[in-house]
Amino acid sequence: MTTPPPSATPPSATPPPSTAPRPAPWVRTRLRAAPLGTVLGAALAFVAVLLAAALPRAQDRGADQALRSFLEQRGVANTSLQVTAPSPDSGQSARTLDATLEKLLAPTGTGSTFRVDPEATVHGTRTTKRQPLLNPELSRPSGLPPAMNLLHVRQAEAHVKLAEGRWPAGAPTAPPRGGTGGTAPLQVVLSQKAAATLGARVGSVLQSAPRVDGTPSVEVVGLYAVLDERDDFWTDNLGCLARACAHYSGENLSWHVDALVGTGDLDRMADWSRAAEDFWRLPVDVGRLRADRLDATRKEIASYVAGPTAATLARETGRTRLHTTSWLPELFEQARARTQAAAPLAAIGPAGVAGVAFVVLCLAGALAADRRDAELRLLLARGGSRAAIVGRLLGEGAVTVLPAAAAATALAVLLLPTPRLAPALLSAAAVALVALLAFPVRAAVLLTPARPAGRWRRPVAELLVLIATAAAVLAVRRRGVAPPGSDVDPLLIAAPLLLALCGGLLLARIQPVVTGRLARAAGRSSGLVGFLGLARAARGAAATGTGARGRSGPSVLPMVAVLLAITTGGFGAAVLQSVDSSRLGVARLTVGGDAAISASGKSPLPEGLAKAAGELPGVRTAVPVWVDHDSSVLGTRQRSGQVTVIVAEPAAYAELSRVIGCGAFDPALLATKNGQSADAPVPALFSAGLAGRDARGGTYRVLPGEGGELQVRVAGVIDCTPAHPARDAATVILPAGAAQALTGVADHPNRWFGLGSVDGDRLRALVRSTLPAASATPGPAPAPIPGSGSAEGPAPVDEVYPVSTSAEAVDGLGADPLQRSAQRLFWASVAGAAGFALLAVLLTLMRTVPERAALLARLRTMGLRRRQGVALILAETLPQTLAATLGGALVAAAAVALLGPAMDLSTLVGAHVPNGVRLTAGPVLTQALGLAALVAVAVLVEAATSGRRQITTELRAGDQR
């Protein structure tokens, strides 16, 4: 038998198949092992990233809306580029005007930060000086002749309707046949209202002042009617095209009118006033402006007005004297200042919710690391490196966090469309990174070999936080929250958060000591629940050792989360409360009370109106007064200038002055003594400036504008009064009874003021009901001048007896979109911060559930009842929450006291008010008690549900720890 040589090829080189099982993927296995934790982690990341991506986009939308509303309120005349240039000496044509317009619009196209709406542009030619019309048949109200300007407006025919005659010829006007020494009149069209006012008609030839080079004239060939006089087309530089304009020279009235010229006479328009200019109105589309690009837009507008763009346009159009003006740069500066003033409130809320969310993410990472502490240590003991373990944990987090973050970002972008995407993406990425790294970083810390603890580390860290807080507070007090001309400093916005952090660190030092003393006091009693719960609250989770190594007290993070939520919410609520109170004060000062009725001039209010108004529901105090602005006061040496005399009932007027905070006084000062002679001086209140004048014996003689005289003495000095609230006004206040003999108007006031919740509509209805039934109007109004634009009938009641209320004034002050946007963003942030703070407390409870369940299971075997178990959980968890609530209220009050005086509330109020946020208990306590109640309910629910289930599990399985 032979054997094959060693080098022979074996029958088969394929190895046998392996039967060993393949290892399961790490990430899939771990995620399947804890599906609930995986879903909750993804949900937490989704909510946090959604808020992070939504808040910047909400801020952008609010800022853009506020900017556009601010500019729209200024009108198209102030938001346009006004371009002018002298008309060419010859060769003027409509094609030349249109070609120049195209070149002017070129720089506002693609790539520009602003856009001009081509459909809304207005351009043409106009004469530069009105010429008098000498036709004797024309209207001359004061003997002065009317004056006329000529315009050619390219877009005019689209905004008017030809009512009579025809449009001017498009071809050049031919000279009259056989005429010598003259030229054909320019053909024009007039508005129907202007023609009615002047007394002109179709076919009228209007002559101007004679000149050596020929007397120009115009022929009215047609009349037109304006389709909508409120259209933006007729504003600004179109003069008196829609109707005749009243022009006064002293007390003399004359008419100014403008007429439209056709394209055929463009080259002859300068003959009317010797000079003409071309104009182009380019309205900027404010609906496309963006607040984040405001600086760039302002620079482009400035370049268009006087810069490289202006020089380029002058060269390309061939018009060296091209001139551009616009109010937009000034309006942009005002808009920027408004945004800066409202920025602190808009930033405080998002900063607070960001701080609380950061704490919650850190707590979630700590909870996950403590839950898997034994597993991670086993992997490390079996040869795994810390880097490999952390890498696997990063892979687990990436599978859950990144898809949730991407979905949340996409949802925020979809729900809040805005052009700018970068801030939302950066915020979302930052929050997603924190959510991704919280667990791996905590695990890396747990797996790090223990080192001797340095006693100096915590005090040094706390000292650094204290120094940063002091620096931020000093900067706020010195520079203000929003220094003029600069953006909001992040350090200044972080001042309330730093104060909350300092409060949390201080509470972390104090709360265990106080709770420990309470536990010792409870230990002297016969009950066990209170002592055991308070003792565990003072020690934290150190006694059980469930992964919380080295802990000597409760965790600081939940306390900081609650403090941040209460501090930012309380501080912002105090700001809004101050805004509301300041707005009400401004409204009351403007109106003179909560409601007011005024008569025109010195005419009295209708008979019985003041009494009926005082009996309306909601009226708490009614003050009828008589005001005379044409009075004067005689002293012993000199006669004063014009003063305002106010006659009112002292007690009611004193109450009105006290409530609105304007010139409060003691009504006893205006009281007259019984038996006082008729010649005795009447007590009066004088304004500070008027009382400072030299007067012998402190007495004056008051002379009302309609005659009479009254001897008065200075009983007191005031700096303001509701009926005439100007601080520097010269006013005299007289008691109604004493002044009746002089004025005779005790029962016929010309002003009425009321305090209380007065319904403006009901008050207006009352005013209408007191008018004579035959006419239902206070009297016939003067007949309108034909075509002059005056009233077309009797004036409305509200114009003769205007009614105003403080509620309507408050609504008007608060109608600014900038204010509403800042408030909505703040309250949304407060709600988010409260939700995250509640979640922080619940995460803390979940972190101690296993060892607390084991303790309760042992106590149940010793006879602990179910209700006592719930009470034990509450005694353990609520002290920290209550301490955080009290500390948060105190820190919020401290933040208002330290930072409030530096806040400028004028923009949020809607009127200029003194700086400062007033500290009131209501807003702070509302935020603190509301969050405390929410946390208490959540703790109670958790203790009554999950605690019972965990105890049952422990009793069945036994203590295996």
Side-chain angles (χ1 to χ4, degrees):
M1 180 177 182
T2 61
T3 60
S7 59
T9 302
S12 176
T14 303
S18 174
T19 59
R22 301 178 63 182
W26 170 273
V27 173
R28 185 182 65 186
T29 303
R30 292 307 311 156
L31 295 182
R32 285 183 175 180
L36 181 60
T38 300
V39 173
L40 292 179
L44 177 60
F46 179 85
V47 173
V49 174
L50 179 63
L51 285 177
L55 286 177
R57 298 182 70 80
Q59 284 180 322
D60 282 353
R61 286 169 58 87
D64 291 345
Q65 182 183 4
L67 171 64
R68 294 162 185 171
S69 176
F70 173 74
L71 294 177
E72 287 173 356
Q73 292 175 359
R74 297 307 178 272
V76 67
N78 293 321
T79 57
S80 298
L81 296 170
Q82 308 286 355
V83 186
T84 59
S87 297
D89 296 334
S90 62
Q92 177 69 294
S93 65
R95 182 178 300 176
T96 303
L97 294 172
D98 296 343
T100 304
L101 175 64
E102 293 179 1
K103 294 177 181 178
L104 293 175
L105 293 177
T108 67
T110 305
S112 176
T113 58
F114 72 96
R115 178 181 175 273
V116 173
D117 186 1
E119 302 298 327
T121 58
V122 180
H123 68 289
T125 304
R126 62 185 170 216
T127 54
T128 56
K129 184 179 180 181
R130 283 191 170 88
Q131 296 298 312
L133 302 178
L134 304 182
N135 300 59
E137 70 272 12
L138 299 181
S139 174
R140 301 187 181 194
S142 301
L144 299 178
M148 175 180 283
N149 235 357
L150 303 182
L151 292 91
H152 171 75
V153 185
R154 298 288 293 147
Q155 299 86 354
E157 294 187 16
H159 298 271
V160 299
K161 179 181 66 175
L162 188 64
E164 186 179 351
R166 60 178 177 82
W167 290 107
T173 306
R177 295 182 180 178
T180 58
T183 58
L186 285 80
Q187 297 182 0
V188 300
V189 288
L190 277 175
S191 71
Q192 282 183 311
K193 293 182 178 180
T197 302
L198 290 183
R201 61 182 183 274
V202 175
S204 297
V205 177
L206 308 179
Q207 303 289 339
S208 66
R211 292 206 304 260
V212 176
D213 56 351
T215 302
S217 60
V218 296
E219 178 186 1
V220 181
V221 299
L223 301 179
Y224 61 83
V226 176
L227 297 178
D228 184 6
E229 294 186 23
R230 296 170 298 179
D231 192 349
D232 291 339
F233 176 83
W234 300 106
T235 62
D236 190 35
N237 55 3
L238 293 190
C240 306
L241 284 176
R243 59 177 64 229
C245 302
H247 176 72
Y248 287 91
S249 297
E251 296 182 356
N252 297 321
L253 171 65
S254 62
W255 298 116
H256 282 183
V257 296
D258 291 338
L260 288 174
V261 177
T263 56
D265 288 330
L266 276 178
D267 214 16
R268 300 174 53 209
M269 284 183 61
D271 296 342
W272 181 254
S273 63
R274 297 185 182 274
E277 69 173 5
D278 299 337
F279 66 90
W280 298 265
R281 188 176 76 198
L282 312 179
V284 174
D285 188 358
V286 297
R288 293 176 177 263
L289 294 179
R290 292 166 48 182
D292 62 291
R293 303 174 67 180
L294 195 59
D295 289 339
T297 306
R298 182 177 55 83
K299 292 179 181 178
E300 288 195 23
I301 295 290
S303 177
Y304 207 109
V305 172
T309 304
T312 301
L313 290 174
R315 183 177 61 253
E316 292 180 351
T317 58
R319 296 173 180 260
T320 57
R321 296 172 60 185
L322 193 73
H323 181 61
T324 305
T325 59
S326 178
W327 287 102
L328 281 173
E330 289 79 4
L331 293 178
F332 287 164
E333 289 297 331
Q334 296 176 21
R336 179 179 176 83
R338 284 161 40 83
T339 304
Q340 289 173 346
L345 180 63
I348 287 173
V353 73
V356 181
F358 178 78
V359 171
V360 169
L361 292 175
C362 292
L363 274 175
L367 175 64
D370 290 350
R371 179 172 56 86
R372 297 177 58 180
D373 181 62
E375 171 196 340
L376 298 178
R377 294 186 183 281
L378 179 61
L379 292 175
L380 187 65
R382 290 187 174 182
S385 65
R386 281 187 299 160
I389 295 174
V390 170
R392 289 181 180 272
L393 297 181
L394 281 174
E396 293 181 27
V399 172
T400 56
V401 171
L402 295 184
T409 304
L411 182 61
V413 172
L414 181 64
L415 294 179
L416 299 171
T418 185
R420 197 162 60 146
L421 190 61
L425 293 181
L426 290 176
S427 300
V431 174
L433 186 63
V434 173
L436 181 62
L437 295 180
F439 177 28
V441 169
R442 175 63 177 170
V445 172
L446 289 177
L447 298 179
T448 302
R451 293 181 297 176
R455 296 184 177 181
W456 53 270
R457 294 177 183 174
R458 181 176 177 182
V460 168
E462 293 174 348
L463 182 61
L464 291 177
V465 172
L466 181 61
I467 292 174
T469 304
V473 171
L474 289 176
V476 169
R477 301 279 296 188
R478 183 174 301 175
R479 297 169 46 196
V481 176
S486 63
D487 292 327
V488 179
D489 191 340
L491 179 64
L492 305 184
I493 292 301
L497 306 184
L498 291 173
L499 285 172
L501 182 58
C502 285
L505 296 177
L506 181 62
L507 279 180
R509 293 279 190 179
I510 297 176
Q511 189 257 336
V513 177
V514 175
T515 308
R517 291 184 179 180
L518 292 176
R520 288 193 294 271
R524 300 188 187 100
S525 62
S526 58
L528 176 67
V529 173
F531 166 73
L532 187 57
L534 291 175
R536 286 176 55 79
R539 291 196 307 268
T544 58
T546 59
R549 298 180 297 158
R551 228 184 266 169
S552 59
S555 174
V556 181
L557 290 180
M559 192 176 299
V560 171
V562 176
L563 273 168
L564 284 174
I566 295 177
T567 301
T568 55
F571 182 77
V575 172
L576 294 180
Q577 175 69 22
S578 297
V579 168
D580 292 339
S581 60
S582 298
R583 193 177 288 162
L584 179 60
V586 171
R588 280 178 164 176
L589 197 62
T590 302
V591 173
D594 288 325
I597 307 174
S598 303
S600 176
K602 298 180 183 178
S603 59
L605 294 173
E607 185 73 25
L609 175 59
K611 181 180 179 180
E615 297 174 352
L616 285 177
V619 177
R620 187 176 67 253
T621 302
V623 189
V625 300
W626 180 76
V627 181
D628 181 12
H629 295 288
D630 298 327
S631 299
S632 59
V633 176
L634 291 181
T636 58
R637 295 186 180 180
Q638 62 179 355
R639 177 168 178 165
S640 73
Q642 189 177 30
V643 299
T644 298
V645 171
I646 301 169
V647 180
E649 198 281 319
Y653 197 73
E655 174 68 9
L656 178 66
S657 302
R658 182 190 64 82
V659 170
I660 71 173
C662 180
F665 65 93
D666 184 1
L669 295 174
L670 296 179
T672 56
K673 298 180 180 179
N674 294 330
Q676 181 175 324
S677 64
D679 297 334
V682 175
L685 299 178
F686 277 44
S687 60
L690 186 60
R693 300 177 186 271
D694 183 20
R696 184 176 58 190
T699 60
Y700 292 82
R701 284 181 296 163
V702 176
L703 281 70
E706 296 181 352
E709 182 177 327
L710 183 67
Q711 192 79 11
V712 300
R713 62 179 174 85
V714 180
V717 178
I718 56 173
D719 60 348
C720 175
T721 190
H724 194 45
R727 294 287 175 179
D728 56 348
T731 56
V732 178
I733 301 177
L734 299 175
Q740 181 178 1
L742 171 67
T743 62
V745 293
D747 296 329
H748 299 283
N750 56 5
R751 300 286 190 276
W752 179 87
F753 300 101
L755 293 175
S757 55
V758 187
D759 187 354
D761 294 336
R762 179 174 293 181
L763 192 58
R764 291 185 180 91
L766 175 64
V767 171
R768 293 186 179 93
S769 67
T770 57
L771 297 175
S775 61
T777 61
I785 300 175
S788 64
S790 58
E792 297 183 358
V797 173
D798 292 343
E799 293 182 5
V800 179
Y801 302 114
V803 174
S804 56
T805 64
S806 61
E808 295 170 349
V810 166
D811 293 340
L813 291 173
D816 190 350
L818 184 65
Q819 304 167 8
R820 296 198 301 267
S821 173
Q823 292 180 10
R824 286 196 302 266
L825 185 62
F826 169 76
W827 287 119
S829 301
V830 167
F836 277 117
L838 178 63
L839 185 57
V841 175
L842 294 178
L843 286 175
T844 305
L845 292 176
M846 293 176 62
R847 191 177 185 182
T848 58
V849 160
E851 48 89 12
R852 186 171 65 244
L855 172 66
L856 292 176
R858 297 189 192 103
L859 293 177
R860 286 287 297 275
T861 60
M862 300 179 191
L864 184 74
R865 292 190 298 273
R866 186 170 296 171
R867 288 186 178 180
Q868 291 177 318
V870 175
L872 177 62
I873 296 175
L874 294 177
E876 177 186 350
T877 56
L878 287 184
Q880 187 177 9
T881 302
L882 295 178
T885 301
L886 178 61
L890 294 177
V891 173
V896 174
L898 293 174
L899 308 177
M903 296 282 293
D904 184 4
L905 303 179
S906 297
T907 299
L908 295 176
V909 171
H912 179 71
V913 295
N915 286 359
V917 177
R918 289 182 290 275
L919 177 59
T920 53
V924 176
L925 290 180
T926 299
Q927 298 294 315
L929 296 180
L931 185 57
L934 188 63
V935 171
V937 170
V939 170
L940 181 62
V941 171
E942 195 277 338
T945 55
S946 65
R948 179 185 304 178
R949 184 172 60 253
Q950 293 290 341
I951 293 172
T952 304
T953 303
E954 291 291 337
L955 288 175
R956 290 176 179 176
D959 187 9
Q960 300 177 2
R961 296 173 176 79

